[in-house]
Amino acid sequence: MKNEGLEQSAAKAAALVKKGSRVAAFTGAGISVESGIPPFRGPGGLWSRYDPRLLEIDFFRENPGQSWKTIKEIFYDSFAGAKPNAAHYALAAMESAGMLHCVITQNIDNLHQEAASRQVLEFHGNSRRLVCLGCSMSCRVSQISLEEIPPTCRACGGILKPDFVFFGEPIPEPAGIRSNLESRLSDVFLLIGTTGEVMPACLIPRTAKANGAAIVEINTAPSEFTDEITDVFLEAPATKAMGCLLQALGIPGDR
Ligand code: ZN
């Protein structure tokens, strides 16, 4: 009776959210899988097909053309048409209903913003922006032609880099500081589609737990978080679990 289990868990999660004074969501690749974006890790993940070295910052600085060829293929050709799914919209609906303070996301796909979430902390940056390695000017990728790669800065001629975190780069501020702050201030944390393997992001929910937050986890299978910190586990795809949670919260789920 798995569905009954899910509904019961959703009811427990809803009770925590309603009781909470500050609720944060922490999302990972799993929430975007149903939008057609594969995760980086695991079987079928992007790193089984591409060389992660192409996203190392030192390699990129020395070989921007080579890195950009793959970057363009992954992030700007394949994912360009990805649209938010019901789980993204559900979080935006919770925020509108005053039941969610913010979304901290490890994803760089901009889908929370496209679903109209307003408070989004981009822990790993955003692929929809580019930043100049020469003068730090930032621009939207839609303003830039990717016909010729690597793309260069109109102001200084420097190489443009996607404004997400490459291997070897620090977490961008203020998103890192604000995410840490939320992990201390929130009393309920919803973990959605994140398995607790990526450092330092995986410390955020653990800090929340250490500061007394109740942890609601939504994943298709148990993760590193489940036994360690999770209070209520909704074992289901993000769209299904968030649909149940919205219903239990009494929020209309039709976007
Ligand atoms: Zn520049």
Side-chain angles (χ1 to χ4, degrees):
M1 302 302 273
K2 211 168 180 185
N3 288 336
E4 272 184 29
L6 183 61
E7 276 173 27
Q8 282 169 355
S9 302
K12 281 185 197 165
L16 289 171
V17 168
K18 283 181 179 169
K19 204 171 66 172
S21 58
R22 191 168 175 121
V23 180
F26 181 75
T27 65
I31 195 172
S32 291
V33 166
E34 290 173 88
S35 290
I37 298 181
F40 286 92
R41 286 150 206 276
L46 289 167
W47 297 144
S48 64
R49 283 181 279 151
Y50 295 102
D51 181 358
R53 198 172 57 129
L54 296 165
L55 286 184
E56 284 174 10
I57 187 62
D58 291 341
F59 185 89
F60 179 86
R61 285 178 187 278
E62 282 165 28
N63 312 278
Q66 194 183 338
S67 284
W68 256 107
K69 188 169 172 292
T70 299
I71 287 167
K72 179 172 181 287
E73 195 179 312
I74 301 177
F75 298 101
Y76 302 110
D77 294 342
S78 300
F79 299 170
K83 295 277 179 279
N85 63 49
H88 296 104
Y89 287 115
L91 289 172
M94 280 181 67
E95 185 182 15
S96 290
M99 293 187 191
L100 184 69
H101 182 71
C102 69
V103 176
I104 302 167
T105 188
Q106 298 162 82
N107 299 339
I108 58 172
D109 52 31
N110 204 47
L111 294 183
H112 287 299
Q113 289 91 335
E114 286 176 35
S117 280
R118 292 183 296 271
Q119 288 293 321
V120 182
L121 305 182
E122 299 173 329
F123 201 78
H124 290 151
N126 190 316
S127 64
R128 298 286 127 202
R129 284 191 313 267
L130 304 180
V131 62
C132 173
L133 291 180
C135 69
S136 301
M137 183 207 70
S138 169
C139 60
R140 297 168 68 87
V141 71
S142 55
Q143 300 171 314
I144 298 290
S145 166
L146 294 179
E147 289 292 306
E148 279 186 37
I149 52 174
T152 51
C153 173
R154 280 179 209 150
C156 79
I159 302 289
L160 295 176
K161 172 193 164 293
D163 198 9
F164 58 77
V165 177
F166 279 36
F167 298 115
E169 284 193 304
I171 299 305
E173 300 302 352
I177 289 172
R178 285 197 56 199
S179 301
N180 265 305
L181 192 64
E182 291 303 333
S183 72
R184 287 161 209 279
L185 296 178
S186 302
D187 47 15
V188 181
F189 240 66
L190 307 179
L191 313 185
I192 307 172
T194 179
T195 53
E197 290 156 5
V198 180
M199 278 289 284
C202 64
L203 299 177
I204 297 287
R206 292 181 168 109
T207 303
K209 179 73 174 184
N211 282 272
I215 308 290
V216 174
E217 177 180 351
I218 293 173
N219 269 320
T220 52
S223 71
E224 291 195 5
F225 291 127
T226 313
D227 284 340
E228 192 188 330
I229 60 170
T230 297
D231 296 295
V232 179
F233 185 37
L234 282 70
E235 187 170 359
T239 55
K240 187 175 180 188
M242 284 305 294
C244 287
L245 181 57
L246 276 198
Q247 200 170 23
L249 287 169
I251 300 174
D254 54 358
R255 295 164 52 163

